[in-house]
Amino acid sequence: MTRGTGVGFAVRGTLVQCPSLGVVEILRDHLLVVDHTGIISRLSPATEDESVQYIKQNDVRSLPPGSFLIPTFCDLHLHAPQFMYQGTGLDLPLMQWLDKYAYKAEEMLDAQPDTARKVYKRLAERLIEAGTGAVLLFGTINTETNLILADAMQTLGVRAFVGNSSTADSLANAKDFIQRCGKLVANDERLIEPVITPRFVPTCSNELLQGLGELSKEKAVRIQSHLAESYAEAKWVKDERHIDDIEVFDKYGLLREGTVQAHCTFLDNPSLSRLAQRKTAIAHCPLSNVYFSEKPFPLREALDAGVMVGLGSDVAGGYSIDIMSGMRHAVTVSRMRESTRLLEHIDECAGKKETSECDVRSLAITWKESLYLATRGGALALGLNQVGELKVHSPLDAQEIAVYDFENGAGVGALDFFDDPPLSSGVTLEMIEKWWCMGDTRNRVGMWVQGKKLI
């Protein structure tokens, strides 16, 4: 892709995106032009007269017929220090795992800046490898270490919301990090933003929570935390505060637009409705929930209540940094929930004459819905309203995916096709689904954030 005066680059080919929940849109043979600032300046069918003239007069790269562009993934919940212990000790209960691995990782990185630089550089590289263009990160309690994290993301080109983890009475640290993170990069080049981050209610005093709520409002800074994560955590809060943690967050102004709460597995329908009313988003982490929560997240109910939901890897409570893994696990868990619901009501419905009396909305989500959560849904949850879809005036945050090599008549990577699709078919919905099910890093042959090529 050649950069010219006033033009970043241009491509012609197939574009794929999810403009709404459950909808996969395939734009065949389109021209996409990106300006020198990384913004999409033109998007139209390549056969339109203006597009034809543009293609004649400019250097335009044609995507292979078995490839497509799709928005990058968003990861709404990742503990950056815990990346050190990804895939370790997952047989332990949550609180024991935190004591043995999570806190140990944070203390080590706070004490060893050189190790922090090494770990966070590798983390950014792994995110890019997995197609993640935007990530919401928990850091440590140390401002200097979190600035190393922010710098690593900015330098390698990943959009990152970085949280200075607040525990005990660390309001001053939160203020210091917000100020210094904001000065790290010039506004017109910035990919990073600070996030107010109370770790979770049990480790935060009422005074700290109140101060963080006021700070968020004063500085217009986003918020992240954990909510209703497990039975032990929920009981801990109830025993000490005599109210649920959702009540605590709400009391101190920490449930609002710009807040992302992770897990939420122990929330009931009224609580989900409250989050929707407050415009608070949820980071759904299906893999780590299987390991550390006694209940699955009520995803369908949250979506029906109008809650903004995206996916989170929850490294290292989740062992995979790949949001494709998160999509697959989200569907799997939802299908198990639906099977359980059906079995619980099978006897009740057996005597019904009208099947409509037992027809209710399925708790299972589809692969198409999960793809929306991983892209556009996650972007909206992060407040990145111009990201997660391909349209004029939006930054190009996209990945190029190769699924089929028409020249050699073979699938790419783990994908096999035995029906010899004709060249005229190009990329089909069935090919995209196969990639969703079985694809891996071998299929990702390009990636851009804000128009900057990362792969």
Side-chain angles (χ1 to χ4, degrees):
M1 297 182 180
T2 303
R3 294 182 178 272
T5 303
V7 176
F9 55 87
V11 296
R12 177 182 183 175
T14 299
L15 314 178
V16 176
Q17 59 186 349
C18 298
S20 59
L21 185 67
V23 176
V24 175
E25 180 180 67
I26 304 176
L27 304 176
R28 303 184 190 282
D29 194 20
H30 271 58
L31 172 67
L32 182 147
V33 181
V34 181
D35 70 20
H36 69 284
T37 66
I39 301 298
I40 299 172
S41 59
R42 180 193 294 265
L43 179 59
S44 58
T47 54
E48 284 188 356
D49 291 343
E50 290 186 3
S51 298
V52 171
Q53 290 301 314
Y54 183 94
I55 293 169
K56 288 180 179 179
Q57 298 169 6
N58 294 275
D59 183 9
V60 178
R61 178 196 167 208
S62 292
L63 296 178
S67 299
F68 59 89
L69 292 187
I70 189 170
T72 51
F73 299 136
C74 297
D75 188 338
L76 270 61
H77 191 59
L78 192 156
H79 292 266
Q82 295 175 21
F83 176 62
M84 295 181 66
Y85 293 105
Q86 185 182 8
T88 305
L90 296 178
D91 57 316
L92 297 174
L94 175 60
M95 297 305 172
Q96 291 182 33
W97 187 86
L98 290 173
D99 287 336
K100 186 170 183 179
Y101 294 106
Y103 302 144
K104 175 183 175 182
E106 295 177 20
E107 291 169 1
M108 181 185 299
L109 297 187
D110 282 344
Q112 302 175 17
D114 288 343
T115 302
R117 291 185 185 90
K118 177 182 178 181
V119 170
Y120 290 154
K121 179 177 181 290
R122 189 57 175 155
L123 171 60
E125 292 170 344
R126 287 296 191 190
L127 288 168
I128 293 168
E129 185 180 88
T132 298
V135 60
L136 180 56
L137 296 164
F138 265 68
T140 70
I141 61 174
N142 185 283
T143 294
E144 300 299 333
T145 308
N146 293 325
L147 290 173
I148 292 172
L149 172 59
D151 182 68
M153 296 297 145
Q154 176 73 36
T155 300
L156 273 79
V158 178
R159 294 189 192 277
F161 298 85
V162 181
N164 199 93
S165 188
S166 297
T167 60
D169 297 304
S170 50
L171 184 59
N173 287 346
K175 292 179 179 179
D176 181 51
F177 177 69
I178 290 171
Q179 181 181 26
R180 295 177 64 185
C181 185
K183 294 180 178 179
L184 200 60
V185 185
N187 284 336
D188 58 346
E189 300 177 353
R190 181 182 300 157
L191 296 173
I192 54 170
E193 297 290 343
V195 184
I196 288 173
T197 306
R199 181 185 285 274
F200 60 170
V201 169
T203 60
C204 298
S205 67
N206 291 339
E207 292 74 20
L208 174 62
L209 293 172
Q210 181 174 347
L212 293 175
E214 294 170 352
L215 181 62
S216 173
K217 185 176 181 180
E218 175 190 347
K219 301 292 186 181
V221 176
R222 303 181 70 81
I223 300 164
Q224 65 173 335
S225 192
H226 301 85
L227 174 61
E229 177 178 4
S230 68
Y231 175 80
E233 181 266 339
K235 185 176 185 301
W236 187 0
V237 175
K238 191 81 169 181
D239 289 346
E240 287 194 351
R241 311 287 178 104
H242 308 296
I243 54 175
D244 293 325
D245 52 0
I246 190 172
E247 301 284 352
V248 177
F249 281 121
D250 208 8
K251 179 179 179 180
Y252 295 112
L254 294 165
L255 290 186
R256 63 164 183 82
E257 186 174 4
T259 296
V260 176
Q261 292 284 5
H263 306 301
C264 302
T265 54
F266 277 77
L267 293 187
D268 56 17
N269 287 339
S271 295
L272 293 172
S273 296
R274 181 189 295 201
L275 294 189
Q277 292 166 4
R278 301 290 190 272
K279 298 183 180 180
T280 290
I282 293 175
H284 175 34
C285 309
L287 181 56
S288 67
N289 289 345
V290 169
Y291 279 98
F292 293 122
S293 181
E294 297 79 8
K295 293 176 65 175
F297 172 60
L299 175 56
R300 176 62 70 196
E301 294 90 329
L303 295 172
D304 287 350
V307 181
M308 291 183 291
V309 180
L311 298 177
S313 63
D314 196 21
V315 166
Y319 57 75
S320 175
I321 203 170
D322 194 346
I323 288 297
M324 292 194 73
S325 173
M327 287 193 286
R328 296 162 184 158
H329 284 110
V331 171
T332 300
V333 171
S334 74
R335 291 180 67 88
M336 292 299 294
R337 291 189 69 232
E338 173 62 9
S339 297
T340 300
R341 185 194 66 80
L342 287 173
L343 289 174
E344 289 175 348
H345 292 85
I346 194 167
D347 292 332
E348 175 185 335
C349 293
K352 302 286 187 181
K353 293 183 179 180
E354 298 292 335
T355 56
S356 61
E357 295 181 52
C358 286
D359 287 344
V360 296
R361 185 160 167 78
S362 174
L363 298 181
I365 68 164
T366 67
W367 72 269
K368 297 176 183 178
E369 289 175 302
S370 77
L371 188 57
Y372 171 82
L373 299 181
T375 54
R376 182 61 175 161
L380 291 174
L382 290 173
L384 297 172
N385 297 335
Q386 297 300 313
V387 175
E389 58 182 345
L390 304 173
K391 64 179 183 180
V392 174
H393 305 311
S394 290
L396 181 72
D397 285 26
Q399 46 188 321
E400 180 181 345
I401 303 298
V403 291
Y404 191 77
D405 182 347
F406 280 94
E407 184 175 339
N408 295 313
V412 177
L415 310 185
D416 292 310
F417 300 88
F418 298 102
D419 49 3
D420 296 324
L423 180 62
S424 60
S425 70
V427 174
T428 65
L429 190 64
E430 289 77 14
M431 288 179 174
I432 298 170
E433 181 182 10
K434 186 180 283 280
W435 163 73
W436 181 93
C437 287
M438 301 160 53
D440 55 36
T441 56
R442 290 172 290 179
N443 301 102
R444 188 166 296 104
V445 296
M447 179 172 161
W448 300 260
V449 169
Q450 193 71 36
K452 178 183 178 181
K453 187 170 178 60
L454 305 183
I455 296 178

